[in-house]
Amino acid sequence: MKNLPMDLLRTFTTINDLGGFTQAGDLLGRSQPAISLQIKRLEEMLEVTLFNRVGGLKLTEEGEILYSYARKILEMNDTVCSRLSTPSLSGSVRLGTPNDFEVSFLPVLLSKFSRAYPDVTLDVRSDVSINLRKEYKKGTYDFVMTMDEYPNHEYAKDDFIIEPLSWAVGPTFSLPHDQPVPLVLYPQGCIYRQHITQALNKANIPWRILYCSSSLLGIKSAIKAGLGISALSINTMPKSLVPEHGFEHLPELGQVTIGFNYDRNNLSPAAALLLDHLRNGLKQNQDYPSAFNLMPD
């Protein structure tokens, strides 16, 4: 029986996740030639070709089979390492997150944390950011992940990322030029809604609200059905929608910050560890969003 080196499997999956040898090298801290040698070694061990390099980098049939198993192997490896290399934790963490992150990359980060620390109970609730910050100040949450204005925000250094907003459009949507712009929006207090309406008002473009929902599923379904358009951050854009930074004659929507509100002195060990886990995951997702590939269809 052959024993597949874990570092070769990690390199292999990272190349496929990021779409290239150079990108994988940047993330893993290795040169492109070193990455190529690792894949060559893995292919020689298995006596198969893993990537088809004709017309773009794609997995072969054998590569697809290995990828499905490699992801599971690496996940189990990382879970075991986390469990054995860190002190046992227990307790509960109350976390608040923006509505549209409840179905983006965040659930996978939380799932990895739960597998590594099964004795920690996660109480996660979603709302618009303005409500999350209010409830955090009341003591409802241990910490919250929220969106705020850029550059005027309250996050500490290294506790946030800057994210551009994009118009979110259905695949067959056509903007009517003789009618107000039909909008699909979150309720009052949503930073997306504020950016949309302010940008349209500043450009003297008439608009009307055709649909309002507090969930990303409702927003996505309405946009996909062609009821209207909205705006989302790139990190939360479902694959079934079309991101348009400049859609026809509509204005650009600017940027927001995504970060964390917390008091380190009042965090339990479990909450502090979860905060660091999410903060690192947020920054990694910004640098390599395709590595998560979690947006729902």
Side-chain angles (χ1 to χ4, degrees):
M1 296 295 292
K2 299 176 181 178
N3 294 315
L4 298 177
M6 205 68 62
D7 60 331
L8 300 188
L9 293 180
R10 195 177 302 278
T11 296
F12 167 67
T13 58
T14 303
I15 291 171
N16 188 59
D17 288 340
L18 301 187
F21 283 60
T22 301
Q23 297 92 321
D26 291 340
L27 180 62
L28 297 174
R30 297 188 178 94
S31 66
Q32 191 273 335
I35 294 293
S36 297
L37 286 174
Q38 285 189 308
I39 295 303
K40 181 180 179 181
R41 182 185 170 197
L42 184 58
E43 289 179 328
E44 290 175 347
M45 289 184 65
L46 295 172
E47 299 180 350
V48 297
T49 299
L50 298 173
F51 288 101
N52 184 351
R53 296 168 175 80
V54 178
L57 191 65
K58 296 181 180 179
L59 291 176
T60 62
E61 182 177 350
E62 293 80 5
E64 292 281 1
I65 294 173
L66 177 62
Y67 181 80
S68 65
Y69 283 106
R71 289 296 295 265
K72 296 175 184 177
I73 293 170
L74 290 170
E75 187 174 293
M76 293 179 65
N77 172 82
D78 295 346
T79 299
V80 169
C81 290
S82 295
R83 289 287 303 276
L84 297 179
S85 63
T86 57
S88 177
L89 286 179
S90 62
S92 63
V93 182
R94 300 165 301 163
L95 169 66
T97 68
N99 288 329
D100 45 336
F101 278 83
E102 62 185 345
V103 292
S104 61
F105 68 92
L106 193 58
V108 169
L109 291 176
L110 295 175
S111 178
K112 289 182 177 179
F113 183 87
S114 290
R115 287 194 296 272
Y117 305 100
D119 293 330
V120 176
T121 301
L122 300 181
D123 181 2
V124 184
R125 305 178 191 178
S126 299
D127 204 339
V128 294
S129 293
I130 189 172
N131 292 340
L132 291 174
R133 282 191 285 269
K134 288 180 180 178
E135 291 301 314
Y136 166 71
K137 292 177 180 179
K138 294 179 182 178
T140 304
Y141 301 106
D142 294 303
F143 69 94
V144 293
M145 175 182 178
T146 60
M147 289 187 179
D148 208 342
E149 295 292 347
Y150 175 79
N152 301 317
H153 58 83
E154 300 178 357
Y155 303 124
K157 182 180 179 182
D158 297 328
D159 278 340
F160 67 92
I161 64 170
I162 301 171
E163 182 80 355
L165 296 185
S166 171
W167 292 103
V169 185
T172 61
F173 181 80
S174 179
L175 188 65
H177 292 279
D178 57 344
Q179 299 177 21
V181 177
L183 298 178
V184 175
L185 300 178
Y186 280 108
Q188 287 282 1
C190 172
I191 196 168
Y192 295 149
R193 178 173 179 147
Q194 181 177 331
H195 275 250
I196 292 171
T197 56
Q198 287 182 351
L200 292 176
N201 289 338
K202 186 175 181 180
N204 294 316
I205 297 176
W207 52 272
R208 59 174 178 155
I209 300 174
L210 287 189
Y211 187 86
C212 182
S213 175
S214 60
S215 74
L216 179 59
L217 178 60
I219 295 291
K220 183 196 74 171
S221 298
I223 299 173
K224 188 176 180 180
L227 194 59
I229 66 174
S230 190
L232 295 169
S233 72
I234 296 299
N235 263 312
T236 61
M237 187 74 67
K239 286 186 277 187
S240 57
L241 304 183
V242 181
E244 296 279 1
H245 290 288
F247 183 61
E248 297 193 13
H249 64 283
L250 299 184
E252 294 188 0
L253 296 167
Q255 299 172 309
V256 297
T257 52
I258 305 172
F260 300 91
N261 301 103
Y262 64 93
D263 180 356
R264 178 69 75 172
N265 294 326
N266 290 324
L267 289 179
S268 67
L273 195 62
L274 177 61
L275 171 62
D276 292 338
H277 177 74
L278 296 183
R279 184 165 46 193
N280 293 334
L282 178 65
K283 292 182 178 180
Q284 183 180 0
N285 185 61
Q286 182 189 40
D287 294 334
Y288 303 98
S290 60
F292 288 80
N293 194 28
L294 306 171
M295 302 303 112
D297 292 327

